[in-house]
Amino acid sequence: MIRHSDPWLGDEEIAQLTDCIRNNWITGGVKVKEFEERIAELCQVKRAVACTNGTSALFMALKAMGIGQGDEVIVPDFTFVASANAVVLAGAKPVFVDVKEDTLNIDPSLIEGAVTERTKAVMPVHLYGQSVDMDAVLDVADDYGLYIIEDNAQGIGVTWDSVPTGGFGDIGCLSFYADKTLTTGEGGMVLTNDDETADKCLRLAHQGNLGKGRYVHETLGFNFRMTDLQAAVGLAQLEKLPIVIDRRRHVDQLYRDMLRTIRPKIDKRCFNVPYRTLVMVDDPEELRLHLAENGIETRRVFCPLHQQPYYSQEGQYPNSVYAYEHGLQLPLSAAITDKQVEMVCKSIKQYYKESK
Ligand SMILES: *Cc1c(COP(=O)(O)O)cnc(C)c1O
């Protein structure tokens, strides 16, 4: 069985976790602090605040920017549902815009048309490990005074014009879910260059109270804390990140060499860290079943947000719909071997032949 994604765990993670168990480090402490500092350094931001997952990171980011009731946030129609859910859970309204046909990332030229007097922020999502055109997003955000909240859940290691994604906007968010480039099982982080914003996030994650030992809570907060056990796994993963990035780029390139109609197309200004490679076909469900019969697990792509049962609404999002109706996510992780990639491509070519 070739899995669509596998975490790559081993002795480094075991050693880190053993360290936690031997020292009774099972809630947030030294490992979380070190992990935050290392991630901030990697992403070239001043502050990083760890939390439970990417969704809570987005929620905290929105709250820290003061977004809530009556506000609108511009979100790409083609993304994981968490991007929009965080906006709704923060009390605001997500407004969807289409993505670009080639990169599958938000089309910056459509942002202006979606701005109203209620628009407070835009949320570029660096999908599939490729950066959004940040020059264009920065321009339009500047013109309309919008906050930029980057959903960088799939974008660790990615750069735009040599600058790491996640640090362009007012605040950026990472996810460390099991199938992301760097994993802690579940986990997330908020990135910012503003101390006040970082402290707001810390308070949100710590029941509104940063002082230990006194039950006086200055603000409203929740428990969004990461544990040292998670951070320990993250620290081990960080050591392997350069290898993981190389592997992911290599696997993606193999797919591109062996197959046609691959997405996303990569903008030259971006150093991408492939999260998934998509092949575009007439009937992705039929191909998915064919591959499953051959022991290859694949995933369909995100259902456009405007078609999600909860968000169901009218609107013209042709590129988002096209990606959904034709895209299939091929297996991609640092753990997959060249041989397995060849098997996937062979099976796809066989499908093409049979369906002719
Ligand atoms: C994974 C992901 C999230 C949410 O992260 P979780 O850690 O699963 O909560 C948000 N946005 C995008 C684009 C993602 O891929």
Side-chain angles (χ1 to χ4, degrees):
M1 182 77 183
I2 300 176
R3 303 246 311 154
H4 84 104
S5 168
D6 263 324
W8 181 32
L9 304 169
D11 291 340
E12 300 88 346
E13 284 79 7
I14 292 170
Q16 275 283 354
L17 286 169
T18 303
D19 198 26
C20 288
I21 304 288
R22 289 204 198 288
N23 289 291
N24 270 347
W25 291 333
I26 60 167
T27 61
V30 285
K31 296 284 184 192
V32 170
K33 191 156 183 302
E34 187 184 346
F35 188 43
E36 286 174 338
E37 284 167 3
R38 294 279 308 277
I39 293 285
E41 193 185 342
L42 176 77
C43 297
Q44 293 173 28
V45 293
K46 196 168 168 198
R47 298 279 297 275
V49 178
C51 60
T52 45
N53 53 57
T55 312
S56 59
L58 287 167
F59 174 80
M60 292 202 301
L62 289 150
K63 278 293 168 197
M65 301 323 292
I67 288 163
Q69 210 76 61
D71 296 334
E72 293 178 358
V73 178
I74 295 171
V75 175
D77 187 55
F78 187 64
T79 176
F80 185 48
V81 72
S83 312
N85 286 355
V87 175
V88 175
L89 290 168
K93 182 184 162 199
V95 173
F96 307 137
V97 302
D98 204 5
V99 292
K100 292 181 70 176
E101 187 272 327
D102 51 356
T103 65
L104 302 180
N105 270 331
I106 192 166
D107 184 342
S109 72
L110 299 176
I111 293 173
E112 186 172 8
V115 172
T116 72
E117 71 267 21
R118 291 166 179 261
T119 312
K120 284 281 153 59
V122 56
M123 184 187 286
V125 182
H126 305 293
L127 210 60
Y128 295 123
Q130 172 176 218
S131 174
V132 167
D133 177 347
M134 286 312 293
D135 295 338
V137 170
L138 286 163
D139 273 352
V140 61
D142 196 38
D143 286 349
Y144 291 92
L146 308 178
Y147 292 126
I148 298 175
I149 298 167
E150 292 177 74
D151 180 341
N152 197 32
Q154 303 182 0
I156 199 162
V158 176
T159 66
W160 174 261
D161 250 342
S162 307
V163 179
T165 52
F168 279 93
D170 298 276
I171 192 159
C173 300
L174 292 171
S175 164
F176 305 120
Y177 182 65
D179 71 351
K180 301 287 156 72
T181 301
L182 188 155
T183 186
T184 61
E186 296 272 6
M189 204 164 297
V190 160
L191 310 169
T192 180
N193 287 305
D194 183 58
D195 280 324
E196 204 184 313
T197 301
D199 290 341
K200 274 186 190 159
C201 291
L202 270 177
R203 267 189 239 108
L204 278 164
H206 292 253
Q207 311 280 14
N209 177 15
L210 298 184
K212 282 255 164 75
R214 278 170 71 242
Y215 290 97
V216 180
H217 305 256
E218 304 96 59
T219 57
L220 183 65
F222 206 78
N223 175 0
F224 288 131
R225 298 186 296 260
M226 179 183 272
T227 68
D228 273 355
L229 294 165
Q230 293 167 305
V233 173
L235 286 167
Q237 291 266 301
L238 263 174
E239 296 301 323
K240 307 197 268 196
L241 187 62
I243 303 171
V244 168
I245 290 174
D246 277 355
R247 256 328 281 174
R248 282 182 173 269
R249 287 174 60 88
H250 173 74
V251 168
D252 175 70
Q253 192 55 53
L254 286 179
Y255 282 131
R256 285 171 196 271
D257 291 345
M258 282 187 265
L259 300 170
R260 286 166 294 146
T261 60
I262 291 286
R263 288 289 183 281
K265 286 189 179 156
I266 308 301
D267 192 304
K268 283 198 179 63
R269 291 166 287 181
C270 169
F271 175 87
N272 67 320
V273 180
Y275 170 69
R276 289 290 183 281
T277 305
L278 269 54
V279 64
M280 309 300 279
V281 294
D282 287 339
D283 189 341
E285 188 58 19
E286 198 178 77
L287 177 57
R288 189 180 73 82
L289 294 172
H290 165 86
L291 292 171
E293 274 167 24
N294 290 288
I296 298 162
E297 182 191 43
T298 56
R299 291 267 164 98
R300 296 286 300 276
V301 302
F302 300 128
C303 172
L305 291 181
H306 79 281
Q307 289 184 12
Q308 293 283 1
Y310 179 78
Y311 293 104
S312 181
Q313 57 187 257
E314 297 296 312
Q316 293 302 311
Y317 309 96
N319 295 334
S320 169
V321 171
Y322 186 87
Y324 177 54
E325 291 178 350
H326 296 279
L328 188 70
Q329 298 186 157
L330 303 177
L332 200 158
S333 67
I336 193 170
T337 65
D338 286 16
K339 187 119 195 111
Q340 287 176 320
V341 175
E342 274 163 35
M343 282 164 68
V344 173
C345 293
K346 220 170 168 183
S347 193
I348 292 172
K349 283 179 176 163
Q350 184 202 349
Y351 165 81
Y352 280 142
K353 238 183 237 153
E354 282 171 13
S355 64
K356 248 182 209 158

